[in-house]
């Protein structure tokens, strides 16, 4: 180092302007992540996966929990923009209402990755890529299981009630759509009631209690958009003196451990898998996006269907 350069470096250090990158140390990538909340077992596993993967990958994660409120998510995204993070990732609580804040991110030249849930925006180039499950297909899988089940008693009419996820959220919209599309082929399958239980156990129980109190029609089948609501509903069914999984057939989505335990106990009939372990893939995507590498617009996760008959064998293999 010449005397001159040393003098400049010393002066910079003194002025507090020293950037370690000049000395060859790489700056860690900074990701702002806005999570929906902590409403379900699925979400807890998803958060853990993202935090673990960021740590393992040496990515600095700024994590914000929106407590299932869109306004909190918008605030979090604006704060990430103000902090000039390298990349923003978020799981949007509902589909609509994102245009303005996503334009702000674009104006700040911060790329946005959607995880888990989709948005509906006027300009799809407002986000780079979307990684998560195909919720319509999950609804179809639930519907197909019921079609098969209904074949066992082909003349019987089955009265179905539905516990929907959060109103306006991609999984609630799509899981309803996929299920209805499939059951439409059998006129004996009738959906009589459908209400949101907001993806939580407490609301699932509350809404199921109301369904049971109505007593106008015997309920044969419950379709819950997630396991937590099904588990809440199981409690309501038991408190009403009925046997969940027998008097009322129960179909749900996610495939969390709690659902496998309920199946082993004979209280839940089937769960359609939805994989929350998106962390490692998300970190890789973030690195590629920030490096300007081309990435796929849509990345879907591969998932199965687990009926009660395989629950005991599968339970020890479950990772969430
Ligand atoms: O199914 C539910 C959670 O968006 C896929 O959100 C996710 C859903 C999941 O609360 O349990």
């Amino acid at each position: 180092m010449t005397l001159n350069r040393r003098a400049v470096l010393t002066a910079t250090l003194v002025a507090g302007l020293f950037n370690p990158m000049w000395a060859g140390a790489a700056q860690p990538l900074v990701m702002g992540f806005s999570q929906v909340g902590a409403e379900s077992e699925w979400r807890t596993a998803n958060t853990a996966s993202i935090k673990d993967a960021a740590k393992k990958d040496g990515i600095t994660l700024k994590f914000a929990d929106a407590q299932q409120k869109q306004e909190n998510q918008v605030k979090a995204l604006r704060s990430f923009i103000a902090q000039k993070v390298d990349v923003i990732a978020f799981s949007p609580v509902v589909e609509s209402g994102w245009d303005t804040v996503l334009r702000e991110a674009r104006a700040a030249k911060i790329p946005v990755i959607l995880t888990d849930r989709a948005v509906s925006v006027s300009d799809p180039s407002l986000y780079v890529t979307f990684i998560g499950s195909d919720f319509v297909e999950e609804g179809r899988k639930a519907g197909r299981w019921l079609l098969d089940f209904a074949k066992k008693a082909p003349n019987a009419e089955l009265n179905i009630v539905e516990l929907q996820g959060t109103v306006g959220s991609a999984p609630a919209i799509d899981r309803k759509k996929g299920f209805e599309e499939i059951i439409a082929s059998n006129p004996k399958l009738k959906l009589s009631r459908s209400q949101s239980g907001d993806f939580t156990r407490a609301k699932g129980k509350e809404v199921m209690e109301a369904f049971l109190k109505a007593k106008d029609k015997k309920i044969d089948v419950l379709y819950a958009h997630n396991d937590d609501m099904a588990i809440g509903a199981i409690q309501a069914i038991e408190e009403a003196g009925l046997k969940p999984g027998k008097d009322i057939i129960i179909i749900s989505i996610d495939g969390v451990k709690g659902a496998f335990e309920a199946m082993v106990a004979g209280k839940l009939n089937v769960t359609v898998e939805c994989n929350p372990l998106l962390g490692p893939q998300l970190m890789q995507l973030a690195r590629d996006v920030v490096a300007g590498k081309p990435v796929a617009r849509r990345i879907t996760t591969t998932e199965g269907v687990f009926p009660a008959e395989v629950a005991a064998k599968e339970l020890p293999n479950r990772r969430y």
Side-chain angles (χ1 to χ4, degrees), residues 170-209:
I173 296 167
D174 293 353
R175 287 171 182 171
K176 181 170 186 53
K177 193 170 148 201
F179 183 76
E180 283 179 347
E181 177 195 308
I182 297 296
I183 66 162
S185 67
N186 181 346
K188 300 260 179 218
L189 301 177
K190 298 231 166 76
L191 188 63
S192 64
R193 285 199 153 79
S194 179
Q195 212 177 300
S196 172
D198 211 13
F199 281 131
T200 68
R201 284 187 192 200
K203 290 255 178 67
K205 178 167 187 257
E206 197 182 299
V207 177
M208 191 67 202
E209 275 166 2

mmCIF file of all heavy atoms in Angstrom, residues 170-209:
data_model
loop_
_atom_site.group_PDB
_atom_site.id
_atom_site.type_symbol
_atom_site.label_atom_id
_atom_site.label_comp_id
_atom_site.label_asym_id
_atom_site.label_seq_id
_atom_site.Cartn_x
_atom_site.Cartn_y
_atom_site.Cartn_z
ATOM 1 N N ALA A 170 -55.687 -16.566 -0.946
ATOM 2 C CA ALA A 170 -55.551 -17.482 -2.076
ATOM 3 C C ALA A 170 -55.926 -18.921 -1.700
ATOM 4 O O ALA A 170 -56.683 -19.572 -2.421
ATOM 5 C CB ALA A 170 -54.129 -17.411 -2.628
ATOM 6 N N PRO A 171 -55.426 -19.457 -0.558
ATOM 7 C CA PRO A 171 -55.778 -20.853 -0.273
ATOM 8 C C PRO A 171 -57.275 -21.060 -0.034
ATOM 9 O O PRO A 171 -57.812 -22.126 -0.378
ATOM 10 C CB PRO A 171 -54.951 -21.192 0.980
ATOM 11 C CG PRO A 171 -54.467 -19.900 1.523
ATOM 12 C CD PRO A 171 -54.425 -18.941 0.391
ATOM 13 N N ALA A 172 -57.959 -20.061 0.553
ATOM 14 C CA ALA A 172 -59.405 -20.223 0.784
ATOM 15 C C ALA A 172 -60.157 -20.205 -0.550
ATOM 16 O O ALA A 172 -61.032 -21.042 -0.802
ATOM 17 C CB ALA A 172 -59.917 -19.126 1.713
ATOM 18 N N ILE A 173 -59.801 -19.283 -1.417
ATOM 19 C CA ILE A 173 -60.477 -19.161 -2.716
ATOM 20 C C ILE A 173 -60.231 -20.424 -3.546
ATOM 21 O O ILE A 173 -61.157 -21.038 -4.081
ATOM 22 C CB ILE A 173 -59.964 -17.903 -3.466
ATOM 23 C CG1 ILE A 173 -60.339 -16.636 -2.686
ATOM 24 C CG2 ILE A 173 -60.509 -17.856 -4.894
ATOM 25 C CD1 ILE A 173 -59.634 -15.366 -3.153
ATOM 26 N N ASP A 174 -58.969 -20.826 -3.618
ATOM 27 C CA ASP A 174 -58.606 -21.931 -4.513
ATOM 28 C C ASP A 174 -59.027 -23.302 -3.992
ATOM 29 O O ASP A 174 -59.409 -24.184 -4.770
ATOM 30 C CB ASP A 174 -57.088 -21.932 -4.733
ATOM 31 C CG ASP A 174 -56.616 -20.713 -5.512
ATOM 32 O OD1 ASP A 174 -57.477 -19.954 -5.996
ATOM 33 O OD2 ASP A 174 -55.395 -20.522 -5.635
ATOM 34 N N ARG A 175 -58.929 -23.499 -2.684
ATOM 35 C CA ARG A 175 -59.314 -24.814 -2.140
ATOM 36 C C ARG A 175 -60.810 -25.036 -2.272
ATOM 37 O O ARG A 175 -61.265 -26.164 -2.434
ATOM 38 C CB ARG A 175 -58.855 -24.936 -0.677
ATOM 39 C CG ARG A 175 -57.354 -25.116 -0.578
ATOM 40 C CD ARG A 175 -56.818 -25.034 0.836
ATOM 41 N NE ARG A 175 -55.360 -25.169 0.814
ATOM 42 C CZ ARG A 175 -54.574 -24.972 1.850
ATOM 43 N NH1 ARG A 175 -55.074 -24.623 3.018
ATOM 44 N NH2 ARG A 175 -53.258 -25.124 1.735
ATOM 45 N N LYS A 176 -61.571 -23.968 -2.196
ATOM 46 C CA LYS A 176 -63.032 -24.068 -2.401
ATOM 47 C C LYS A 176 -63.306 -24.414 -3.868
ATOM 48 O O LYS A 176 -64.075 -25.315 -4.178
ATOM 49 C CB LYS A 176 -63.686 -22.739 -2.019
ATOM 50 C CG LYS A 176 -65.190 -22.731 -2.165
ATOM 51 C CD LYS A 176 -65.794 -21.492 -1.537
ATOM 52 C CE LYS A 176 -67.315 -21.541 -1.546
ATOM 53 N NZ LYS A 176 -67.860 -22.760 -0.961
ATOM 54 N N LYS A 177 -62.650 -23.684 -4.730
ATOM 55 C CA LYS A 177 -62.857 -23.844 -6.168
ATOM 56 C C LYS A 177 -62.529 -25.273 -6.635
ATOM 57 O O LYS A 177 -63.329 -25.914 -7.317
ATOM 58 C CB LYS A 177 -61.926 -22.841 -6.884
ATOM 59 C CG LYS A 177 -62.206 -22.637 -8.320
ATOM 60 C CD LYS A 177 -61.385 -21.447 -8.816
ATOM 61 C CE LYS A 177 -61.017 -21.656 -10.258
ATOM 62 N NZ LYS A 177 -59.853 -20.853 -10.658
ATOM 63 N N GLY A 178 -61.365 -25.765 -6.245
ATOM 64 C CA GLY A 178 -60.933 -27.103 -6.673
ATOM 65 C C GLY A 178 -61.869 -28.187 -6.161
ATOM 66 O O GLY A 178 -62.231 -29.118 -6.894
ATOM 67 N N PHE A 179 -62.290 -28.064 -4.914
ATOM 68 C CA PHE A 179 -63.181 -29.054 -4.302
ATOM 69 C C PHE A 179 -64.533 -29.060 -5.012
ATOM 70 O O PHE A 179 -65.053 -30.103 -5.392
ATOM 71 C CB PHE A 179 -63.351 -28.697 -2.817
ATOM 72 C CG PHE A 179 -64.188 -29.654 -2.015
ATOM 73 C CD1 PHE A 179 -63.665 -30.876 -1.628
ATOM 74 C CD2 PHE A 179 -65.484 -29.323 -1.631
ATOM 75 C CE1 PHE A 179 -64.429 -31.769 -0.864
ATOM 76 C CE2 PHE A 179 -66.253 -30.199 -0.870
ATOM 77 C CZ PHE A 179 -65.722 -31.425 -0.486
ATOM 78 N N GLU A 180 -65.099 -27.867 -5.216
ATOM 79 C CA GLU A 180 -66.417 -27.758 -5.856
ATOM 80 C C GLU A 180 -66.385 -28.292 -7.292
ATOM 81 O O GLU A 180 -67.328 -28.923 -7.747
ATOM 82 C CB GLU A 180 -66.912 -26.311 -5.824
ATOM 83 C CG GLU A 180 -67.434 -25.946 -4.444
ATOM 84 C CD GLU A 180 -67.924 -24.514 -4.331
ATOM 85 O OE1 GLU A 180 -67.633 -23.709 -5.249
ATOM 86 O OE2 GLU A 180 -68.594 -24.200 -3.331
ATOM 87 N N GLU A 181 -65.290 -28.008 -7.966
ATOM 88 C CA GLU A 181 -65.147 -28.477 -9.354
ATOM 89 C C GLU A 181 -65.293 -30.011 -9.413
ATOM 90 O O GLU A 181 -65.977 -30.542 -10.279
ATOM 91 C CB GLU A 181 -63.759 -28.053 -9.843
ATOM 92 C CG GLU A 181 -63.398 -28.504 -11.238
ATOM 93 C CD GLU A 181 -61.888 -28.363 -11.472
ATOM 94 O OE1 GLU A 181 -61.341 -27.266 -11.227
ATOM 95 O OE2 GLU A 181 -61.269 -29.360 -11.893
ATOM 96 N N ILE A 182 -64.677 -30.697 -8.475
ATOM 97 C CA ILE A 182 -64.697 -32.165 -8.500
ATOM 98 C C ILE A 182 -66.035 -32.732 -8.025
ATOM 99 O O ILE A 182 -66.607 -33.616 -8.666
ATOM 100 C CB ILE A 182 -63.535 -32.739 -7.641
ATOM 101 C CG1 ILE A 182 -62.188 -32.316 -8.226
ATOM 102 C CG2 ILE A 182 -63.631 -34.254 -7.515
ATOM 103 C CD1 ILE A 182 -61.873 -32.837 -9.617
ATOM 104 N N ILE A 183 -66.559 -32.207 -6.914
ATOM 105 C CA ILE A 183 -67.794 -32.819 -6.385
ATOM 106 C C ILE A 183 -69.003 -32.534 -7.272
ATOM 107 O O ILE A 183 -70.026 -33.204 -7.169
ATOM 108 C CB ILE A 183 -68.084 -32.452 -4.910
ATOM 109 C CG1 ILE A 183 -68.380 -30.960 -4.750
ATOM 110 C CG2 ILE A 183 -66.949 -32.904 -3.988
ATOM 111 C CD1 ILE A 183 -69.075 -30.643 -3.432
ATOM 112 N N ALA A 184 -68.878 -31.555 -8.168
ATOM 113 C CA ALA A 184 -69.991 -31.226 -9.082
ATOM 114 C C ALA A 184 -70.374 -32.427 -9.946
ATOM 115 O O ALA A 184 -71.506 -32.507 -10.437
ATOM 116 C CB ALA A 184 -69.597 -30.050 -9.966
ATOM 117 N N SER A 185 -69.443 -33.386 -10.110
ATOM 118 C CA SER A 185 -69.750 -34.535 -10.977
ATOM 119 C C SER A 185 -70.652 -35.562 -10.287
ATOM 120 O O SER A 185 -71.092 -36.508 -10.922
ATOM 121 C CB SER A 185 -68.453 -35.201 -11.431
ATOM 122 O OG SER A 185 -67.820 -35.789 -10.303
ATOM 123 N N ASN A 186 -70.901 -35.400 -8.991
ATOM 124 C CA ASN A 186 -71.813 -36.324 -8.303
ATOM 125 C C ASN A 186 -72.924 -35.532 -7.622
ATOM 126 O O ASN A 186 -72.708 -34.903 -6.580
ATOM 127 C CB ASN A 186 -71.026 -37.142 -7.259
ATOM 128 C CG ASN A 186 -71.920 -38.130 -6.523
ATOM 129 O OD1 ASN A 186 -73.146 -38.046 -6.592
ATOM 130 N ND2 ASN A 186 -71.301 -39.052 -5.804
ATOM 131 N N PRO A 187 -74.131 -35.559 -8.189
ATOM 132 C CA PRO A 187 -75.238 -34.743 -7.648
ATOM 133 C C PRO A 187 -75.676 -35.141 -6.239
ATOM 134 O O PRO A 187 -76.399 -34.387 -5.574
ATOM 135 C CB PRO A 187 -76.379 -34.974 -8.650
ATOM 136 C CG PRO A 187 -75.977 -36.144 -9.472
ATOM 137 C CD PRO A 187 -74.507 -36.303 -9.378
ATOM 138 N N LYS A 188 -75.194 -36.277 -5.758
ATOM 139 C CA LYS A 188 -75.553 -36.699 -4.382
ATOM 140 C C LYS A 188 -74.703 -35.960 -3.341
ATOM 141 O O LYS A 188 -74.976 -36.030 -2.153
ATOM 142 C CB LYS A 188 -75.306 -38.215 -4.214
ATOM 143 C CG LYS A 188 -76.116 -39.072 -5.159
ATOM 144 C CD LYS A 188 -77.315 -39.630 -4.441
ATOM 145 C CE LYS A 188 -78.147 -40.477 -5.373
ATOM 146 N NZ LYS A 188 -79.577 -40.333 -5.160
ATOM 147 N N LEU A 189 -73.655 -35.311 -3.814
ATOM 148 C CA LEU A 189 -72.797 -34.579 -2.881
ATOM 149 C C LEU A 189 -73.262 -33.126 -2.832
ATOM 150 O O LEU A 189 -73.155 -32.392 -3.814
ATOM 151 C CB LEU A 189 -71.329 -34.659 -3.324
ATOM 152 C CG LEU A 189 -70.755 -36.066 -3.440
ATOM 153 C CD1 LEU A 189 -69.316 -36.035 -3.956
ATOM 154 C CD2 LEU A 189 -70.810 -36.788 -2.098
ATOM 155 N N LYS A 190 -73.788 -32.731 -1.675
ATOM 156 C CA LYS A 190 -74.380 -31.392 -1.582
ATOM 157 C C LYS A 190 -73.699 -30.559 -0.499
ATOM 158 O O LYS A 190 -73.674 -30.954 0.666
ATOM 159 C CB LYS A 190 -75.869 -31.526 -1.245
ATOM 160 C CG LYS A 190 -76.676 -32.260 -2.306
ATOM 161 C CD LYS A 190 -77.901 -31.427 -2.679
ATOM 162 C CE LYS A 190 -78.564 -31.901 -3.954
ATOM 163 N NZ LYS A 190 -79.367 -33.121 -3.795
ATOM 164 N N LEU A 191 -73.204 -29.407 -0.908
ATOM 165 C CA LEU A 191 -72.579 -28.491 0.056
ATOM 166 C C LEU A 191 -73.667 -27.570 0.601
ATOM 167 O O LEU A 191 -74.210 -26.743 -0.123
ATOM 168 C CB LEU A 191 -71.493 -27.679 -0.677
ATOM 169 C CG LEU A 191 -70.591 -26.807 0.164
ATOM 170 C CD1 LEU A 191 -69.768 -27.632 1.134
ATOM 171 C CD2 LEU A 191 -69.648 -26.010 -0.732
ATOM 172 N N SER A 192 -73.998 -27.733 1.908
ATOM 173 C CA SER A 192 -75.130 -26.953 2.427
ATOM 174 C C SER A 192 -74.681 -25.698 3.174
ATOM 175 O O SER A 192 -75.418 -24.730 3.252
ATOM 176 C CB SER A 192 -75.981 -27.821 3.349
ATOM 177 O OG SER A 192 -75.231 -28.202 4.479
ATOM 178 N N ARG A 193 -73.500 -25.732 3.759
ATOM 179 C CA ARG A 193 -73.052 -24.565 4.539
ATOM 180 C C ARG A 193 -71.569 -24.343 4.322
ATOM 181 O O ARG A 193 -70.803 -25.312 4.251
ATOM 182 C CB ARG A 193 -73.258 -24.808 6.032
ATOM 183 C CG ARG A 193 -74.672 -24.704 6.473
ATOM 184 C CD ARG A 193 -74.748 -24.479 7.988
ATOM 185 N NE ARG A 193 -75.958 -23.784 8.318
ATOM 186 C CZ ARG A 193 -77.151 -24.364 8.402
ATOM 187 N NH1 ARG A 193 -77.269 -25.653 8.176
ATOM 188 N NH2 ARG A 193 -78.225 -23.665 8.690
ATOM 189 N N SER A 194 -71.169 -23.070 4.283
ATOM 190 C CA SER A 194 -69.765 -22.761 4.089
ATOM 191 C C SER A 194 -69.461 -21.434 4.766
ATOM 192 O O SER A 194 -70.099 -20.424 4.476
ATOM 193 C CB SER A 194 -69.487 -22.668 2.581
ATOM 194 O OG SER A 194 -68.146 -22.352 2.374
ATOM 195 N N GLN A 195 -68.526 -21.457 5.687
ATOM 196 C CA GLN A 195 -68.204 -20.233 6.429
ATOM 197 C C GLN A 195 -66.723 -20.205 6.779
ATOM 198 O O GLN A 195 -66.097 -21.267 6.888
ATOM 199 C CB GLN A 195 -69.024 -20.222 7.712
ATOM 200 C CG GLN A 195 -69.399 -18.827 8.169
ATOM 201 C CD GLN A 195 -70.279 -18.897 9.402
ATOM 202 O OE1 GLN A 195 -71.353 -19.491 9.346
ATOM 203 N NE2 GLN A 195 -69.811 -18.324 10.491
ATOM 204 N N SER A 196 -66.197 -19.004 6.983
ATOM 205 C CA SER A 196 -64.762 -18.910 7.298
ATOM 206 C C SER A 196 -64.484 -19.186 8.774
ATOM 207 O O SER A 196 -65.170 -18.679 9.660
ATOM 208 C CB SER A 196 -64.234 -17.520 6.950
ATOM 209 O OG SER A 196 -62.907 -17.403 7.434
ATOM 210 N N GLY A 197 -63.452 -19.950 9.014
ATOM 211 C CA GLY A 197 -62.938 -20.181 10.369
ATOM 212 C C GLY A 197 -61.532 -19.605 10.476
ATOM 213 O O GLY A 197 -60.789 -19.933 11.396
ATOM 214 N N ASP A 198 -61.176 -18.758 9.497
ATOM 215 C CA ASP A 198 -59.928 -17.980 9.526
ATOM 216 C C ASP A 198 -58.654 -18.806 9.744
ATOM 217 O O ASP A 198 -57.666 -18.294 10.234
ATOM 218 C CB ASP A 198 -60.042 -16.895 10.605
ATOM 219 C CG ASP A 198 -59.254 -15.646 10.243
ATOM 220 O OD1 ASP A 198 -58.825 -15.521 9.071
ATOM 221 O OD2 ASP A 198 -59.056 -14.797 11.133
ATOM 222 N N PHE A 199 -58.702 -20.091 9.419
ATOM 223 C CA PHE A 199 -57.540 -20.992 9.519
ATOM 224 C C PHE A 199 -57.112 -21.273 10.963
ATOM 225 O O PHE A 199 -56.015 -21.780 11.183
ATOM 226 C CB PHE A 199 -56.327 -20.435 8.742
ATOM 227 C CG PHE A 199 -56.380 -20.656 7.246
ATOM 228 C CD1 PHE A 199 -56.139 -19.606 6.359
ATOM 229 C CD2 PHE A 199 -56.650 -21.908 6.717
ATOM 230 C CE1 PHE A 199 -56.162 -19.815 4.975
ATOM 231 C CE2 PHE A 199 -56.668 -22.122 5.342
ATOM 232 C CZ PHE A 199 -56.429 -21.070 4.474
ATOM 233 N N THR A 200 -57.931 -20.908 11.965
ATOM 234 C CA THR A 200 -57.508 -21.164 13.351
ATOM 235 C C THR A 200 -58.371 -22.247 14.018
ATOM 236 O O THR A 200 -59.514 -22.477 13.634
ATOM 237 C CB THR A 200 -57.585 -19.897 14.232
ATOM 238 O OG1 THR A 200 -58.959 -19.529 14.412
ATOM 239 C CG2 THR A 200 -56.828 -18.730 13.610
ATOM 240 N N ARG A 201 -57.803 -22.874 15.048
ATOM 241 C CA ARG A 201 -58.546 -23.896 15.800
ATOM 242 C C ARG A 201 -59.759 -23.292 16.483
ATOM 243 O O ARG A 201 -60.853 -23.848 16.444
ATOM 244 C CB ARG A 201 -57.651 -24.501 16.884
ATOM 245 C CG ARG A 201 -56.671 -25.446 16.308
ATOM 246 C CD ARG A 201 -55.896 -26.180 17.372
ATOM 247 N NE ARG A 201 -54.798 -26.850 16.684
ATOM 248 C CZ ARG A 201 -54.118 -27.858 17.137
ATOM 249 N NH1 ARG A 201 -54.396 -28.337 18.318
ATOM 250 N NH2 ARG A 201 -53.157 -28.402 16.435
ATOM 251 N N ALA A 202 -59.549 -22.129 17.145
ATOM 252 C CA ALA A 202 -60.622 -21.511 17.919
ATOM 253 C C ALA A 202 -61.822 -21.185 17.031
ATOM 254 O O ALA A 202 -62.970 -21.512 17.365
ATOM 255 C CB ALA A 202 -60.101 -20.249 18.598
ATOM 256 N N LYS A 203 -61.566 -20.578 15.875
ATOM 257 C CA LYS A 203 -62.675 -20.210 14.978
ATOM 258 C C LYS A 203 -63.284 -21.451 14.330
ATOM 259 O O LYS A 203 -64.493 -21.509 14.096
ATOM 260 C CB LYS A 203 -62.195 -19.244 13.896
ATOM 261 C CG LYS A 203 -61.847 -17.859 14.394
ATOM 262 C CD LYS A 203 -62.932 -16.857 14.023
ATOM 263 C CE LYS A 203 -62.650 -15.458 14.544
ATOM 264 N NZ LYS A 203 -61.485 -14.831 13.900
ATOM 265 N N GLY A 204 -62.439 -22.430 14.042
ATOM 266 C CA GLY A 204 -62.950 -23.668 13.451
ATOM 267 C C GLY A 204 -63.953 -24.308 14.390
ATOM 268 O O GLY A 204 -65.025 -24.767 13.983
ATOM 269 N N LYS A 205 -63.610 -24.293 15.657
ATOM 270 C CA LYS A 205 -64.514 -24.892 16.669
ATOM 271 C C LYS A 205 -65.817 -24.093 16.756
ATOM 272 O O LYS A 205 -66.913 -24.656 16.729
ATOM 273 C CB LYS A 205 -63.793 -24.899 18.023
ATOM 274 C CG LYS A 205 -64.650 -25.443 19.148
ATOM 275 C CD LYS A 205 -63.819 -25.734 20.391
ATOM 276 C CE LYS A 205 -64.675 -26.433 21.424
ATOM 277 N NZ LYS A 205 -65.111 -25.565 22.508
ATOM 278 N N GLU A 206 -65.651 -22.776 16.832
ATOM 279 C CA GLU A 206 -66.809 -21.881 16.976
ATOM 280 C C GLU A 206 -67.797 -22.048 15.809
ATOM 281 O O GLU A 206 -69.005 -22.194 16.019
ATOM 282 C CB GLU A 206 -66.244 -20.462 16.987
ATOM 283 C CG GLU A 206 -67.135 -19.385 17.503
ATOM 284 C CD GLU A 206 -66.389 -18.051 17.386
ATOM 285 O OE1 GLU A 206 -65.312 -17.909 18.008
ATOM 286 O OE2 GLU A 206 -66.883 -17.161 16.647
ATOM 287 N N VAL A 207 -67.275 -22.041 14.588
ATOM 288 C CA VAL A 207 -68.160 -22.131 13.415
ATOM 289 C C VAL A 207 -68.794 -23.528 13.352
ATOM 290 O O VAL A 207 -69.987 -23.667 13.037
ATOM 291 C CB VAL A 207 -67.400 -21.794 12.110
ATOM 292 C CG1 VAL A 207 -68.299 -21.970 10.900
ATOM 293 C CG2 VAL A 207 -66.857 -20.380 12.157
ATOM 294 N N MET A 208 -68.029 -24.558 13.688
ATOM 295 C CA MET A 208 -68.593 -25.915 13.668
ATOM 296 C C MET A 208 -69.716 -26.033 14.688
ATOM 297 O O MET A 208 -70.733 -26.681 14.430
ATOM 298 C CB MET A 208 -67.492 -26.951 13.942
ATOM 299 C CG MET A 208 -67.927 -28.377 13.675
ATOM 300 S SD MET A 208 -68.237 -28.658 11.908
ATOM 301 C CE MET A 208 -69.321 -30.071 11.980
ATOM 302 N N GLU A 209 -69.544 -25.394 15.847
ATOM 303 C CA GLU A 209 -70.609 -25.413 16.868
ATOM 304 C C GLU A 209 -71.892 -24.826 16.285
ATOM 305 O O GLU A 209 -72.986 -25.379 16.480
ATOM 306 C CB GLU A 209 -70.187 -24.573 18.088
ATOM 307 C CG GLU A 209 -69.339 -25.359 19.075
ATOM 308 C CD GLU A 209 -68.633 -24.463 20.112
ATOM 309 O OE1 GLU A 209 -68.846 -23.226 20.081
ATOM 310 O OE2 GLU A 209 -67.860 -25.008 20.892
#
